[in-house]
Amino acid sequence: IMIDITEQKKTQLKMLETETKLSAILKNLPKVVIYQSGLGKDFISDNIWDMIGYSPAEVLENKYFFGSIMYEEDLPAVKKALSNWHKNHDDGILNMEFRVKKKNGEFIWIEDHMFRVKVNEKESYLSGILIDITERKIAEQNISRSLKEKELLLKEIHHRVKNNLQVVSSLLKLQSSYVKDERSLDLLVDSQNRIRSMALVHQKLYQSKDFSEVDFSEYLKQLTEHLFHVFKSRQGDIEVVINAADINLSIDLAIPCGLILNELISNSLKYAFPGNNRGKINISFGQNAGKYEIILSDNGIGFPKELDYRKTKSLGLQLVNTLVGQIDG
Protein backbone atom coordinates (compact mmCIF):
# COMPACT_ATOMS: atom_id res chain seq x y z
CA ILE A 1 0.00 0.00 0.00
CA MET A 2 1.44 3.37 -1.00
CA ILE A 3 0.08 6.56 0.67
CA ASP A 4 0.81 10.17 -0.30
CA ILE A 5 2.23 11.77 2.89
CA THR A 6 3.50 14.99 1.28
CA GLU A 7 1.19 17.27 3.31
CA GLN A 8 2.02 15.40 6.49
CA LYS A 9 5.74 15.89 5.84
CA LYS A 10 5.23 19.58 5.07
CA THR A 11 3.38 19.98 8.37
CA GLN A 12 6.14 18.16 10.23
CA LEU A 13 8.80 20.38 8.62
CA LYS A 14 6.84 23.52 9.54
CA MET A 15 6.47 22.29 13.13
CA LEU A 16 10.19 21.48 13.28
CA GLU A 17 11.06 24.91 11.85
CA THR A 18 8.77 26.64 14.36
CA GLU A 19 10.19 24.55 17.21
CA THR A 20 13.78 25.40 16.17
CA LYS A 21 12.99 29.10 15.99
CA LEU A 22 11.18 29.05 19.36
CA SER A 23 14.05 27.13 20.95
CA ALA A 24 16.56 29.66 19.63
CA ILE A 25 14.46 32.56 20.92
CA LEU A 26 14.04 31.02 24.37
CA LYS A 27 17.73 30.22 24.59
CA ASN A 28 18.94 33.67 23.59
CA LEU A 29 16.41 35.88 25.37
CA PRO A 30 18.56 38.00 27.75
CA LYS A 31 17.94 36.87 31.33
CA VAL A 32 14.34 35.91 30.59
CA VAL A 33 12.62 32.64 31.47
CA ILE A 34 9.22 31.46 30.24
CA TYR A 35 7.48 28.80 32.28
CA GLN A 36 4.15 26.99 32.11
CA SER A 37 2.32 24.71 34.49
CA GLY A 38 -0.74 22.57 34.01
CA LEU A 39 -2.14 19.92 31.67
CA GLY A 40 0.50 17.51 32.94
CA LYS A 41 3.27 19.20 30.94
CA ASP A 42 5.50 21.72 32.68
CA PHE A 43 8.13 23.66 30.80
CA ILE A 44 10.86 26.13 31.64
CA SER A 45 13.45 27.43 29.21
CA ASP A 46 17.10 26.43 29.48
CA ASN A 47 18.34 29.94 30.25
CA ILE A 48 17.12 29.46 33.82
CA TRP A 49 20.66 28.11 34.31
CA ASP A 50 22.13 31.51 33.45
CA MET A 51 19.70 33.27 35.76
CA ILE A 52 19.79 31.30 39.01
CA GLY A 53 22.26 28.45 38.42
CA TYR A 54 19.63 25.68 38.60
CA SER A 55 18.71 23.44 35.66
CA PRO A 56 15.13 23.29 34.32
CA ALA A 57 14.80 19.76 35.75
CA GLU A 58 15.78 20.94 39.24
CA VAL A 59 13.23 23.74 39.07
CA LEU A 60 10.42 21.51 37.80
CA GLU A 61 10.97 18.84 40.47
CA ASN A 62 9.33 21.06 43.09
CA LYS A 63 5.96 22.69 42.39
CA TYR A 64 6.81 25.54 44.80
CA PHE A 65 10.48 25.78 43.83
CA PHE A 66 10.64 29.60 43.68
CA GLY A 67 8.93 29.85 47.06
CA SER A 68 11.76 27.78 48.55
CA ILE A 69 14.52 30.08 47.26
CA MET A 70 12.67 33.38 47.66
CA TYR A 71 13.98 36.05 50.05
CA GLU A 72 12.03 35.60 53.28
CA GLU A 73 11.00 39.27 53.63
CA ASP A 74 9.48 39.26 50.12
CA LEU A 75 7.27 36.20 50.68
CA PRO A 76 4.32 37.97 52.43
CA ALA A 77 3.95 40.55 49.65
CA VAL A 78 4.10 37.85 46.94
CA LYS A 79 1.52 35.68 48.73
CA LYS A 80 -0.80 38.66 49.15
CA ALA A 81 -0.47 39.62 45.47
CA LEU A 82 -1.21 36.03 44.39
CA SER A 83 -4.19 35.79 46.73
CA ASN A 84 -5.72 39.03 45.39
CA TRP A 85 -5.08 37.92 41.82
CA HIS A 86 -6.82 34.58 42.41
CA LYS A 87 -9.77 36.39 44.05
CA ASN A 88 -10.15 38.34 40.82
CA HIS A 89 -10.27 35.05 38.88
CA ASP A 90 -6.69 35.44 37.61
CA ASP A 91 -7.76 38.37 35.49
CA GLY A 92 -5.07 40.26 33.58
CA ILE A 93 -1.32 40.05 34.12
CA LEU A 94 0.09 39.79 37.64
CA ASN A 95 3.35 41.73 37.98
CA MET A 96 5.55 41.02 41.00
CA GLU A 97 9.09 41.85 42.07
CA PHE A 98 11.00 39.71 44.56
CA ARG A 99 14.47 38.43 45.42
CA VAL A 100 15.61 34.83 44.96
CA LYS A 101 18.72 33.00 46.12
CA LYS A 102 20.92 31.64 43.35
CA LYS A 103 22.66 28.28 43.64
CA ASN A 104 25.90 30.08 44.58
CA GLY A 105 24.14 31.83 47.48
CA GLU A 106 23.90 35.24 45.82
CA PHE A 107 20.54 37.06 45.85
CA ILE A 108 19.13 38.63 42.68
CA TRP A 109 15.97 40.63 41.93
CA ILE A 110 13.34 38.97 39.72
CA GLU A 111 10.43 40.60 37.90
CA ASP A 112 7.63 38.08 37.36
CA HIS A 113 4.87 38.61 34.78
CA MET A 114 2.25 35.90 35.36
CA PHE A 115 -0.91 35.31 33.35
CA ARG A 116 -3.43 32.54 32.74
CA VAL A 117 -3.81 31.04 29.27
CA LYS A 118 -7.19 29.49 28.45
CA VAL A 119 -7.05 26.44 26.19
CA ASN A 120 -10.80 26.03 26.12
CA GLU A 121 -13.74 26.70 28.44
CA LYS A 122 -12.60 24.04 30.93
CA GLU A 123 -8.83 23.89 30.56
CA SER A 124 -6.21 26.55 31.23
CA TYR A 125 -2.65 26.84 32.44
CA LEU A 126 -0.39 29.41 34.08
CA SER A 127 2.32 31.04 32.04
CA GLY A 128 4.85 33.66 32.96
CA ILE A 129 8.02 35.53 32.14
CA LEU A 130 10.83 35.99 34.64
CA ILE A 131 13.32 38.82 34.13
CA ASP A 132 16.50 39.50 36.10
CA ILE A 133 16.20 43.17 37.15
CA THR A 134 19.09 43.21 39.65
CA GLU A 135 21.05 45.89 37.77
CA ARG A 136 17.96 48.11 37.54
CA LYS A 137 17.22 47.68 41.26
CA ILE A 138 20.81 48.53 42.22
CA ALA A 139 20.61 51.64 40.01
CA GLU A 140 17.27 52.61 41.61
CA GLN A 141 18.72 52.16 45.09
CA ASN A 142 21.73 54.30 44.19
CA ILE A 143 19.46 57.01 42.76
CA SER A 144 17.21 56.85 45.83
CA ARG A 145 20.23 57.13 48.14
CA SER A 146 21.55 60.05 46.13
CA LEU A 147 18.15 61.79 46.22
CA LYS A 148 17.94 61.38 49.99
CA GLU A 149 21.40 62.90 50.37
CA LYS A 150 20.40 65.85 48.17
CA GLU A 151 17.13 66.27 50.09
CA LEU A 152 19.06 66.40 53.36
CA LEU A 153 21.45 68.92 51.82
CA LEU A 154 18.57 71.10 50.56
CA LYS A 155 16.87 70.85 53.94
CA GLU A 156 20.06 71.94 55.66
CA ILE A 157 20.50 74.85 53.20
CA HIS A 158 16.95 76.12 53.83
CA HIS A 159 17.49 75.71 57.57
CA ARG A 160 20.73 77.71 57.49
CA VAL A 161 19.30 80.43 55.23
CA LYS A 162 16.33 80.75 57.59
CA ASN A 163 18.66 80.94 60.61
CA ASN A 164 20.88 83.56 58.94
CA LEU A 165 17.87 85.70 58.01
CA GLN A 166 16.58 85.43 61.55
CA VAL A 167 19.96 86.55 62.86
CA VAL A 168 19.77 89.64 60.60
CA SER A 169 16.19 90.25 61.77
CA SER A 170 17.27 89.94 65.41
CA LEU A 171 20.15 92.37 64.84
CA LEU A 172 17.72 94.90 63.38
CA LYS A 173 15.40 94.42 66.34
CA LEU A 174 18.32 94.90 68.73
CA GLN A 175 19.37 98.03 66.85
CA SER A 176 15.82 99.43 66.95
CA SER A 177 15.91 99.45 70.76
CA TYR A 178 18.63 102.15 70.55
CA VAL A 179 16.71 104.31 68.05
CA LYS A 180 14.65 107.16 69.47
CA ASP A 181 13.51 108.75 66.21
CA GLU A 182 10.11 107.32 65.26
CA ARG A 183 10.69 107.51 61.51
CA SER A 184 14.01 105.66 61.75
CA LEU A 185 12.35 103.12 64.02
CA ASP A 186 9.63 102.52 61.40
CA LEU A 187 12.27 101.90 58.74
CA LEU A 188 14.02 99.33 60.92
CA VAL A 189 10.73 97.58 61.73
CA ASP A 190 9.76 97.48 58.03
CA SER A 191 13.15 96.01 57.11
CA GLN A 192 12.82 93.47 59.89
CA ASN A 193 9.38 92.40 58.61
CA ARG A 194 10.67 92.03 55.04
CA ILE A 195 13.46 89.78 56.20
CA ARG A 196 11.02 87.84 58.36
CA SER A 197 8.73 87.27 55.37
CA MET A 198 11.66 85.74 53.41
CA ALA A 199 12.84 83.69 56.39
CA LEU A 200 9.31 82.30 56.74
CA VAL A 201 9.45 80.95 53.16
CA HIS A 202 12.65 79.03 53.94
CA GLN A 203 11.15 77.82 57.21
CA LYS A 204 8.12 76.41 55.33
CA LEU A 205 10.42 74.77 52.76
CA TYR A 206 12.51 73.24 55.57
CA GLN A 207 9.36 71.78 57.13
CA SER A 208 7.91 70.62 53.81
CA LYS A 209 8.33 67.18 52.21
CA ASP A 210 8.72 68.93 48.86
CA PHE A 211 11.65 71.35 49.01
CA SER A 212 10.64 73.16 45.83
CA GLU A 213 7.17 74.42 46.83
CA VAL A 214 5.53 76.26 49.73
CA ASP A 215 2.02 75.74 51.11
CA PHE A 216 1.09 79.36 50.50
CA SER A 217 -2.22 79.36 52.37
CA GLU A 218 -0.45 78.28 55.58
CA TYR A 219 2.37 80.75 54.89
CA LEU A 220 -0.16 83.57 54.48
CA LYS A 221 -1.75 82.80 57.87
CA GLN A 222 1.61 82.80 59.67
CA LEU A 223 2.76 86.00 57.95
CA THR A 224 -0.47 87.78 58.94
CA GLU A 225 -0.19 86.59 62.54
CA HIS A 226 3.39 87.91 62.72
CA LEU A 227 2.45 91.34 61.33
CA PHE A 228 -0.52 91.65 63.70
CA HIS A 229 1.83 90.88 66.56
CA VAL A 230 4.36 93.53 65.37
CA PHE A 231 1.76 96.29 64.95
CA LYS A 232 -0.49 95.40 67.90
CA SER A 233 0.37 98.69 69.67
CA ARG A 234 -0.86 100.74 66.68
CA GLN A 235 -4.13 99.01 65.91
CA GLY A 236 -7.57 98.96 67.40
CA ASP A 237 -10.07 96.14 67.06
CA ILE A 238 -9.11 94.93 63.56
CA GLU A 239 -10.47 91.69 62.13
CA VAL A 240 -8.65 89.84 59.39
CA VAL A 241 -10.46 87.41 57.07
CA ILE A 242 -8.29 85.08 55.00
CA ASN A 243 -9.77 83.07 52.16
CA ALA A 244 -6.86 81.12 50.66
CA ALA A 245 -7.06 78.15 48.32
CA ASP A 246 -4.91 75.10 49.06
CA ILE A 247 -2.18 75.91 46.52
CA ASN A 248 1.57 75.40 46.60
CA LEU A 249 3.88 78.03 45.12
CA SER A 250 7.47 77.63 43.99
CA ILE A 251 10.13 79.54 45.92
CA ASP A 252 10.53 81.89 42.91
CA LEU A 253 6.91 83.01 43.35
CA ALA A 254 6.51 82.56 47.11
CA ILE A 255 9.21 85.05 48.13
CA PRO A 256 8.05 88.00 45.95
CA CYS A 257 4.38 87.30 46.75
CA GLY A 258 5.27 87.14 50.44
CA LEU A 259 7.08 90.48 50.24
CA ILE A 260 4.19 92.08 48.35
CA LEU A 261 1.69 90.91 50.97
CA ASN A 262 4.04 92.00 53.75
CA GLU A 263 4.00 95.57 52.40
CA LEU A 264 0.25 95.73 51.75
CA ILE A 265 -0.80 94.20 55.09
CA SER A 266 1.67 96.45 56.91
CA ASN A 267 0.19 99.49 55.11
CA SER A 268 -3.32 98.56 56.17
CA LEU A 269 -2.31 98.00 59.78
CA LYS A 270 -0.30 101.23 59.97
CA TYR A 271 -2.47 103.70 58.04
CA ALA A 272 -5.98 102.39 57.25
CA PHE A 273 -7.46 102.72 60.75
CA PRO A 274 -6.18 105.88 62.48
CA GLY A 275 -7.14 106.58 66.05
CA ASN A 276 -7.49 102.86 66.86
CA ASN A 277 -10.64 102.62 64.74
CA ARG A 278 -12.34 99.31 64.23
CA GLY A 279 -12.02 97.68 60.85
CA LYS A 280 -11.62 94.61 58.70
CA ILE A 281 -8.88 93.40 56.36
CA ASN A 282 -9.82 90.84 53.68
CA ILE A 283 -7.17 88.71 52.00
CA SER A 284 -7.96 86.18 49.29
CA PHE A 285 -5.62 83.94 47.31
CA GLY A 286 -6.59 81.52 44.55
CA GLN A 287 -6.60 80.88 40.82
CA ASN A 288 -8.59 82.69 38.16
CA ALA A 289 -8.46 81.78 34.45
CA GLY A 290 -5.30 79.74 34.98
CA LYS A 291 -3.46 82.52 36.84
CA TYR A 292 -2.81 83.12 40.53
CA GLU A 293 -4.82 85.96 42.04
CA ILE A 294 -4.16 87.80 45.31
CA ILE A 295 -6.71 90.36 46.52
CA LEU A 296 -6.17 92.47 49.63
CA SER A 297 -8.72 95.05 50.76
CA ASP A 298 -9.75 96.88 53.93
CA ASN A 299 -12.64 99.10 54.97
CA GLY A 300 -10.35 101.81 56.32
CA ILE A 301 -9.84 105.37 55.14
CA GLY A 302 -8.34 104.33 51.78
CA PHE A 303 -5.54 105.91 49.75
CA PRO A 304 -5.42 109.71 49.66
CA LYS A 305 -7.01 110.94 46.43
CA GLU A 306 -3.84 112.73 45.35
CA LEU A 307 -1.68 109.59 45.78
CA ASP A 308 -0.67 107.62 42.68
CA TYR A 309 0.45 104.30 44.06
CA ARG A 310 2.46 103.62 40.87
CA LYS A 311 4.52 106.79 41.39
CA THR A 312 5.27 107.29 45.03
CA LYS A 313 8.27 108.01 47.23
CA SER A 314 7.17 105.27 49.64
CA LEU A 315 9.74 102.45 49.58
CA GLY A 316 7.04 99.91 50.40
CA LEU A 317 4.84 100.74 47.40
CA GLN A 318 7.89 101.04 45.14
CA LEU A 319 8.87 97.55 46.27
CA VAL A 320 5.35 96.25 45.55
CA ASN A 321 5.36 97.69 42.01
CA THR A 322 8.85 96.35 41.30
CA LEU A 323 8.04 92.84 42.54
CA VAL A 324 4.72 92.72 40.66
CA GLY A 325 6.65 93.57 37.50
CA GLN A 326 9.28 90.91 38.21
CA ILE A 327 6.66 88.13 38.37
CA ASP A 328 4.74 89.50 35.35
CA GLY A 329 1.81 90.52 37.52
Side-chain angles (χ1 to χ4, degrees), residues 18-29:
T18 302
E19 198 172 299
T20 303
K21 287 179 180 177
L22 183 59
S23 178
I25 290 169
L26 291 174
K27 186 177 180 180
N28 294 293
L29 278 174

Side-chain angles (χ1 to χ4, degrees), residues 117-145:
V117 179
K118 290 185 179 180
V119 180
N120 50 51
E121 290 185 1
K122 293 183 178 179
E123 295 178 319
S124 66
Y125 61 89
L126 288 176
S127 182
I129 299 172
L130 299 178
I131 306 171
D132 183 348
I133 58 167
T134 308
E135 289 183 7
R136 191 187 85 193
K137 278 291 184 181
I138 291 172
E140 286 175 358
Q141 288 168 0
N142 289 337
I143 291 169
S144 178
R145 193 180 304 113

Side-chain angles (χ1 to χ4, degrees), residues 186-197:
D186 283 346
L187 292 174
L188 286 172
V189 170
D190 288 342
S191 298
Q192 187 183 333
N193 289 336
R194 288 163 190 150
I195 292 168
R196 169 67 181 167
S197 73

Side-chain angles (χ1 to χ4, degrees), residues 232-283:
K232 63 184 177 182
S233 61
R234 303 190 188 185
Q235 68 193 44
D237 186 8
I238 299 174
E239 178 188 2
V240 62
V241 178
I242 299 174
N243 182 19
D246 189 13
I247 297 174
N248 290 348
L249 289 186
S250 68
I251 187 171
D252 294 334
L253 275 177
I255 286 180
C257 286
L259 284 167
I260 290 166
L261 281 163
N262 177 78
E263 298 305 322
L264 298 178
I265 296 168
S266 297
N267 266 2
S268 286
L269 290 172
K270 286 197 288 184
Y271 306 120
F273 310 103
N276 290 338
N277 292 337
R278 288 190 173 191
K280 181 188 285 188
I281 299 173
N282 292 291
I283 307 169

